[in-house]
Amino acid sequence: MMIKYNLICKCGESFESWFLSSSGFDYLCRKKLIKCIYCGSLSVKKSVMAPNLPSKSNKVFKKTKLEKNIKKQLLDFRKYIEKNCKDVGENFTQEARSIHYDKKTSQGIYGKATAEETSELLEEGIEVATIPWIDKSEN
Ligand SMILES: [Zn+2]
């Protein structure tokens, strides 16, 4: 027999999960195998058994909320980079190489590079990351 539970996390999100039985849930919970799909927390509690109906509006709402969270994280990341790293603009590839080969500075840099340039840097063993540059004025 399968039982569907509505699980609630301490972060406030809720999601559905199927279990073999109610003891199945307790077992997985004890083994810390049930994680929140939104924040990864193990503080997940089972709520009342959910009726077997997909709540569409609810899902759309959650997705939007999740997207907003991701956007906020990327925006925070952008702020962090702007505060702690040097903007080298179009010279990014050149600067990244000079830091890597000359060990000039330990300061992080950021700037623009094409996908081709980025893969060249990675091939040379230079650690670069591409992040979506979120527009501050958005939202
Ligand atoms: Zn959570």
Side-chain angles (χ1 to χ4, degrees):
M1 183 178 80
M2 296 287 284
I3 299 176
K4 185 163 85 172
Y5 284 118
N6 220 3
L7 303 175
I8 293 180
C9 171
K10 65 169 181 187
C11 74
E13 296 288 355
S14 64
F15 54 97
E16 292 166 353
S17 203
W18 288 89
F19 298 95
L20 274 173
S21 64
S22 62
S23 61
F25 172 84
D26 294 337
Y27 175 79
L28 291 172
C29 205
R30 258 202 318 276
K31 293 270 175 190
K32 300 203 184 304
L33 291 171
I34 299 171
K35 272 190 199 171
C36 172
I37 59 170
Y38 294 97
C39 73
S41 163
L42 292 166
S43 303
V44 173
K45 274 189 276 186
K46 102 187 134 185
S47 145
V48 287
M49 223 181 291
N52 199 2
L53 291 169
S55 46
K56 264 189 190 159
S57 57
N58 205 14
K59 269 179 192 150
V60 168
F61 171 73
K62 274 180 200 158
K63 193 168 172 265
T64 317
K65 203 176 161 195
L66 198 64
E67 274 171 6
K68 270 190 188 157
N69 282 342
I70 291 166
K71 205 177 230 181
K72 192 187 170 297
Q73 279 175 25
L74 286 171
L75 195 56
D76 286 347
F77 193 36
R78 175 179 175 162
K79 281 182 196 154
Y80 173 85
I81 288 171
E82 285 178 336
K83 202 178 159 197
N84 296 285
C85 302
K86 190 179 144 200
D87 184 9
V88 294
E90 308 285 344
N91 297 324
F92 180 78
T93 314
Q94 198 189 318
E95 287 286 320
R97 279 205 178 93
S98 93
I99 287 170
H100 182 74
Y101 293 113
D102 307 338
K103 311 237 181 294
K104 261 187 190 166
T105 167
S106 60
Q107 195 193 11
I109 57 164
Y110 69 98
K112 287 173 196 157
T114 64
E116 205 174 284
E117 286 166 342
T118 306
S119 68
E120 274 172 22
L121 291 173
L122 288 168
E123 270 170 31
E124 289 171 43
I126 302 170
E127 279 179 41
V128 293
T130 309
I131 64 156
W133 208 236
I134 295 286
D135 189 352
K136 280 179 200 169
S137 61
E138 232 178 289
N139 219 345

